[in-house]
């Protein structure tokens, strides 16, 4: 097998490191490249290592929690949460965690989580392109929809709308509704492609067909431009940056 997933363990419990190391060693798809005992140590490791594809991340750690660390990352690697606490599952999936493993978990449950990376995000094991390179390219976002992990390519997104506690991701084929904060999903989008025109809307600037006063037209959708955003938007429009 030519493609390996480079793994980093972040946990303040030595026994958790040993268990995960044993599980990783048993799976030929995985390679352990680092061990960190705190979130701060992990941030330093990530700053100096660009080849981390997957983090096994504990939640409750000294000073900075695993979720606080994860939410601070602009383009995080894939993440599988490993914790003894049940109550953070929803928040973890809001941050696009691949899976949520409750300690103690078996090797079979560990394999289920790893398999999700390939099945649910449709990563091709036989591809010559490394997993991390795909994420660096920033060509897609991963969202949770109806209990499933869905990969949505930037090029397919027309616009994104804040909708109560949820977010609607509009594509040319369908509308995905996901439980995530509007601010969180904005952080995952490249500014070169997406523009926040309103407190409730972000548009793919490559999909704009027409500007009519304070209304942007994208296919059959009409998106407002707020008074505060209009000047900045028009500057980009008249400078032909859109």
């Amino acid at each position: 097998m030519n493609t390996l997933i480079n793994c980093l363990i972040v946990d303040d419990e030595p026994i958790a490191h040993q268990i995960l190391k044993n599980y990783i060693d048993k799976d030929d798809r995985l390679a352990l490249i680092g061990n960190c005992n705190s979130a701060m140590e992990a941030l330093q490791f990530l700053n100096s290592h660009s080849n981390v594809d997957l983090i096994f991340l504990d939640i409750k750690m000294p000073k900075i929690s695993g979720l606080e660390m994860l939410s601070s990352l602009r383009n995080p690697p894939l993440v599988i949460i490993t914790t003894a606490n049940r109550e953070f599952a929803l928040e973890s999936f809001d941050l696009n965690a691949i899976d949520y493993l409750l300690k103690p978990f078996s090797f079979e449950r560990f394999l289920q989580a790893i398999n999700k990376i390939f099945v649910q995000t449709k990563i091709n094991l036989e591809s010559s392109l490394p997993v991390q390179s795909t994420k660096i390219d920033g060509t897609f976002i991963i969202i949770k929809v109806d209990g499933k992990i869905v990969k949505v390519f930037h090029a397919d997104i027309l616009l994104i709308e804040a909708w109560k506690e949820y977010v609607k991701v509009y594509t040319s084929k369908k509308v995905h509704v996901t439980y995530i904060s509007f601010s969180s999903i904005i952080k995952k989008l490249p500014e070169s492609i997406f523009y926040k025109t309103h407190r409730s809307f972000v548009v793919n600037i490559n999909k704009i067909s027409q500007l009519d006063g304070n209304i942007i037209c994208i296919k059959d959708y009409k998106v407002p431009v707020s008074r505060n955003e209009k000047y900045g938007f028009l500057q980009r429009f008249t400078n032909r940056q859109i």
Side-chain angles (χ1 to χ4, degrees):
M1 184 176 298
N2 296 323
T3 302
L4 288 176
I5 296 180
N6 292 326
C7 304
L8 173 67
I9 298 173
V10 184
D11 202 304
D12 62 340
E13 299 177 353
I15 189 170
H17 282 261
Q18 188 57 54
I19 291 172
L20 281 168
K21 181 182 183 303
N22 290 340
Y23 287 174
I24 291 170
D25 288 344
K26 291 180 180 180
D27 194 325
D28 292 337
R29 300 170 295 181
L30 309 179
L32 180 62
I33 62 170
N35 292 271
C36 295
N37 297 307
S38 69
M40 284 301 301
E41 186 180 342
L43 288 173
Q44 294 172 358
F45 188 94
L46 291 170
N47 284 335
S48 59
H49 296 77
S50 61
N51 62 334
V52 177
D53 300 317
L54 172 64
I55 303 177
F56 293 98
L57 183 64
D58 188 21
I59 293 180
K60 289 193 173 182
M61 291 182 287
K63 295 185 179 179
I64 301 177
S65 74
L67 293 184
E68 288 172 332
M69 184 203 87
L70 180 57
S71 64
S72 73
L73 298 176
R74 176 70 178 178
N75 293 300
L78 298 173
V79 172
I80 292 175
I81 299 297
T82 59
T83 180
N85 304 100
R86 295 178 178 272
E87 64 267 29
F88 301 105
L90 187 59
E91 186 177 355
S92 297
F93 286 120
D94 185 40
L95 292 171
N96 286 335
I98 292 294
D99 208 338
Y100 194 90
L101 301 183
L102 278 172
K103 300 175 181 176
F105 49 87
S106 65
F107 180 59
E108 287 73 21
R109 181 65 183 89
F110 172 87
L111 285 179
Q112 288 177 11
I114 299 301
N115 289 338
K116 284 184 179 182
I117 296 174
F118 302 103
V119 176
Q120 295 187 6
T121 65
K122 296 180 172 61
I123 295 175
N124 188 350
L125 275 176
E126 302 305 322
S127 173
S128 60
L129 183 65
V131 175
Q132 181 62 18
S133 295
T134 302
K135 294 187 71 60
I136 289 175
D137 288 345
T139 57
F140 62 87
I141 58 172
I142 297 175
I143 57 176
K144 188 174 179 64
V145 180
D146 295 330
K148 299 178 181 179
I149 304 298
V150 178
K151 180 168 66 174
V152 184
F153 285 94
H154 294 158
D156 293 335
I157 298 173
L158 302 177
L159 62 108
I160 296 175
E161 178 185 6
W163 186 61
K164 299 178 181 179
E165 298 87 10
Y166 297 83
V167 165
K168 291 182 177 180
V169 179
Y170 294 78
T171 72
S172 56
K173 295 181 179 179
K174 65 186 303 183
V175 179
H176 300 288
V177 179
T178 181
Y179 186 86
I180 187 174
S181 69
F182 192 49
S183 60
S184 294
I185 202 165
I186 288 175
K187 291 178 182 179
K188 302 176 187 298
L189 302 171
E191 294 179 0
S192 60
I193 301 176
F194 293 91
Y195 194 97
K196 183 181 178 183
T197 64
H198 185 275
R199 65 181 181 180
S200 299
F201 289 94
V202 167
V203 300
N204 183 334
I205 59 179
N206 295 325
K207 303 294 185 179
I208 297 173
S209 59
Q210 183 178 326
L211 177 62
D212 183 7
N214 291 334
I215 300 296
I216 292 171
C217 302
I218 301 178
K219 292 189 180 295
D220 295 329
Y221 299 108
K222 310 294 184 182
V223 181
V225 180
S226 71
R227 181 181 303 174
N228 292 336
E229 296 293 340
K230 186 173 181 179
Y231 178 78
F233 178 80
L234 286 176
Q235 282 289 101
R236 294 188 65 181
F237 189 86
T238 56
N239 288 337
R240 298 183 181 180
Q241 296 180 14
I242 295 179

